[in-house]
Amino acid sequence: MMRAWIYARLSNDDDQEMNSLLNQQEICRTFAKQNSYLVIGESFDDNVSGMTFSRRGLDKLTTAVNADKIDAVLVKDLSRLGRHRTQTALLIDFLREHGVRVVSITEGLDTSSEEDDLVIGVRSLMNDYYARDIGNKIRAGYRQKQREGIVITPPFGYQKDRNTNTIELHPEASETVRAVYSLYLQGYGQKEIARKLNALGRKTPAQLRAEQCGREVCASSKTRDGRYVWTYASVKNILVEEAYTGVLINHRSETNGGKAKRLDQTEWYRHENFFPVIIEHGIWEKVQQKLKAQARPSNGNKAKHRYVGLILCKECGSPFVPMIRYWNGKRRVEYVCKGYHRNGKSYCSSHRIHEEALDAAVQEFVQTMRDRMAEAQKELKRKQKMWALRKPVLDAQIFALQERIQEFEQEIDGIVMEKMSASMPVRSISPRFLSE
């Protein structure tokens, strides 16, 4: 009996009624029943484009293929498997290598049939063109919406009314934004502001998004016990966000082939007086000037310290960053946990190590390895000398054993010949042949 796996996929641009997941699965189940297929398992991907092949449902399918659990994959049509021409062809080749065929039910195609190869190629081209055409139309429509002013997710401090689709101030978050700007202009640093917000129990942007969506939808910083915490980066993001002055900026970047390209400011779409104002423009400009004045000059992306990026905190996973300290008039470098340095003890414990200690540890390790290599070389030379001394004796023993083997082979041949002679019957010769 043919072992089958049912796969279904639904994307945003599909006909929700004709291509619903339930409809696809029902078509596949009916086909399997009519053709006596044994359905081993099912998987699906909802709201996933056919141009991407990083899908959970597809991963379950390939896992079953690698485990040699199935002989066929049932799909409503080949576009459910994928719309990217090259990636779909590679997936079909992968399945063929594992002896698994793909059956497209509504199209009547089977990848195990050579007669269907041409039709499958044409279908793949059509699916690929359809996906790219839809993508171009969606991007063009989205670009027009950006020109008109569109907000999918408002910045921290705002919320979108689900009934009127208008942008409003979020009471708690907007107060937090004002507090951040006020503290910064009072002389507090970004790390100090983060610590104050954590002490006051203010909700972070990631925490509010998780509460609104019912799940985490963006990267977040948490303590060891799972609490959300403000960090240097989250405070910095608020201080540089121009939306708080009321301006909406769209089209800051473009995505092509999965790669985002940052656009020049001349290509941005600016919409003044779009958001309710939280921070006056003059205050925002003052903050930007202060940030620029306090920014450290770039070192050309060249690491000044030899252990940068090589040490990670075992407790929180943050990298260790170098810090220059002066003690009794002497300069020294020590590496500290970035998580603790930026976010305080609520995020991680204090961990630090001097560069001299690292140098000593590295030197000790190198010396140990050098000593081990020297000992290994000595042992190798000793064994080479022993082999040189024993080689003539061993060669003589090998030669003697080879001669003994030849003697045994000759004895065996003699015994075999004797046995053959004894087993052969003696046949009498006719006198007629003797007289001739």
Side-chain angles (χ1 to χ4, degrees):
M1 182 176 289
M2 186 72 68
R3 301 171 300 169
W5 185 280
I6 295 176
Y7 177 74
R9 181 186 62 81
L10 184 67
S11 62
N12 285 331
D13 57 315
D14 287 327
D15 188 321
Q16 299 293 323
E17 182 176 355
M18 294 294 294
N19 281 325
S20 69
L21 293 175
L22 292 176
N23 186 40
Q24 294 180 48
Q25 292 168 339
E26 187 60 31
I27 290 174
C28 293
R29 293 191 191 106
T30 302
F31 178 86
K33 186 176 181 180
Q34 292 174 350
N35 293 271
S36 301
Y37 282 22
L38 176 62
V39 178
I40 299 298
E42 299 182 10
S43 62
F44 66 89
D45 289 296
D46 191 11
N47 195 24
V48 180
S49 169
M51 296 297 283
T52 177
F53 279 71
S54 178
R55 316 179 212 148
R56 292 182 180 180
L58 205 58
D59 290 342
K60 292 180 180 179
L61 166 60
T62 54
T63 300
V65 171
N66 289 323
D68 194 24
K69 292 182 178 180
I70 60 176
D71 305 310
V73 177
L74 303 181
V75 292
K76 176 180 172 288
D77 55 68
L78 284 179
S79 66
R80 300 304 92 200
L81 202 61
R83 290 192 181 275
H84 193 287
R85 180 178 71 255
T86 306
Q87 294 291 343
T88 304
L90 290 173
L91 177 59
I92 291 175
D93 287 343
F94 164 77
L95 295 173
R96 280 175 175 166
E97 290 176 358
H98 288 77
V100 178
R101 63 183 186 176
V102 180
V103 180
S104 176
I105 298 171
T106 58
E107 296 169 327
L109 299 176
D110 190 335
T111 58
S112 65
S113 173
E114 295 182 358
E115 299 175 355
D116 290 344
D117 282 349
L118 178 60
V119 181
I120 291 172
V122 174
R123 286 284 185 182
S124 298
L125 284 170
M126 294 172 61
N127 293 331
D128 186 278
Y129 173 78
Y130 173 81
R132 294 183 189 277
D133 183 57
I134 287 292
N136 291 333
K137 291 178 180 177
I138 290 175
R139 279 191 290 272
Y142 186 68
R143 185 71 48 77
Q144 182 59 34
K145 290 291 185 181
Q146 287 182 323
R147 292 190 184 99
E148 298 171 358
I150 182 176
V151 176
I152 299 176
T153 303
F156 178 76
Y158 299 100
Q159 61 185 0
K160 182 185 287 189
D161 189 286
R162 295 183 179 180
N163 297 322
T164 62
N165 210 31
T166 56
I167 305 299
E168 303 172 347
L169 291 179
H170 189 286
E172 180 181 354
S174 60
E175 285 300 319
T176 301
V177 172
R178 294 189 184 97
V180 169
Y181 276 80
S182 175
L183 289 170
Y184 187 70
L185 290 177
Q186 291 176 31
Y188 289 92
Q190 294 160 65
K191 289 187 294 183
E192 293 177 295
I193 295 174
R195 291 169 184 168
K196 280 186 171 294
L197 294 177
N198 289 327
L200 293 171
R202 295 280 188 170
K203 292 184 179 180
T204 68
Q207 186 176 0
L208 282 178
R209 285 286 302 277
E211 291 178 357
Q212 293 169 356
C213 300
R215 60 185 179 88
E216 290 190 2
V217 293
C218 59
S220 60
S221 298
K222 295 183 178 181
T223 60
R224 288 164 286 177
D225 56 359
R227 290 183 294 107
Y228 289 92
V229 292
W230 286 87
T231 64
Y232 174 95
S234 55
V235 172
K236 177 71 176 293
N237 291 337
I238 290 177
L239 291 173
V240 300
E241 180 58 72
E242 194 174 357
Y244 300 130
T245 65
V247 63
L248 168 65
I249 302 178
N250 282 332
H251 195 229
R252 298 188 186 189
S253 62
E254 285 184 347
T255 302
N256 188 11
K259 295 182 179 179
K261 177 186 176 183
R262 190 76 176 176
L263 299 178
D264 188 75
Q265 292 190 16
T266 56
E267 300 181 64
W268 293 1
Y269 302 148
R270 295 179 63 91
H271 304 275
E272 302 291 341
N273 302 318
F274 188 90
F275 294 111
V277 176
I278 299 178
I279 303 298
E280 294 297 330
H281 194 270
I283 296 177
W284 185 83
E285 285 288 353
K286 189 176 180 180
V287 168
Q288 305 315 302
Q289 293 173 4
K290 188 174 180 180
L291 286 171
K292 187 175 181 180
Q294 293 178 344
R296 295 179 181 178
S298 173
N299 61 0
N301 201 26
K302 296 180 181 179
K304 294 182 178 180
H305 304 281
R306 46 188 169 272
Y307 300 111
V308 171
L310 300 178
I311 311 173
L312 297 178
C313 177
K314 185 178 180 181
E315 190 170 343
C316 69
S318 300
F320 273 56
V321 293
M323 303 292 293
I324 300 176
R325 309 291 191 191
Y326 292 91
W327 184 259
N328 292 333
K330 294 183 180 180
R331 177 183 180 276
R332 70 181 184 188
V333 178
E334 65 180 17
Y335 292 80
V336 299
C337 172
K338 187 177 181 179
Y340 172 80
H341 177 66
R342 286 199 166 183
N343 308 317
K345 61 183 179 181
S346 63
Y347 189 85
C348 188
S349 304
S350 175
H351 306 295
R352 65 187 66 228
I353 184 170
H354 294 164
E355 194 172 59
E356 293 84 352
L358 291 171
D359 289 339
V362 170
Q363 185 175 2
E364 182 182 355
F365 176 77
V366 171
Q367 186 62 44
T368 301
M369 295 303 297
R370 184 183 298 172
D371 295 341
R372 289 182 182 177
M373 290 298 297
E375 290 295 329
Q377 288 180 350
K378 289 181 181 179
E379 181 66 17
L380 180 61
K381 290 180 179 180
R382 186 183 66 82
K383 290 182 178 180
Q384 287 176 341
K385 289 180 180 179
M386 290 179 61
W387 167 250
L389 294 173
R390 295 187 61 189
K391 188 175 183 302
V393 178
L394 296 174
D395 287 343
Q397 291 179 357
I398 292 172
F399 182 75
L401 291 172
Q402 288 175 343
E403 288 185 338
R404 187 60 176 158
I405 290 172
Q406 290 181 354
E407 292 175 1
F408 282 137
E409 289 177 347
Q410 291 175 359
E411 291 180 7
I412 291 171
D413 290 342
I415 294 172
V416 171
M417 293 300 296
E418 289 179 3
K419 292 289 185 181
M420 291 177 63
S421 299
S423 61
M424 292 179 62
V426 179
R427 302 176 64 182
S428 59
I429 302 176
S430 173
R432 182 169 61 86
F433 291 104
L434 292 174
S435 62
E436 291 180 356

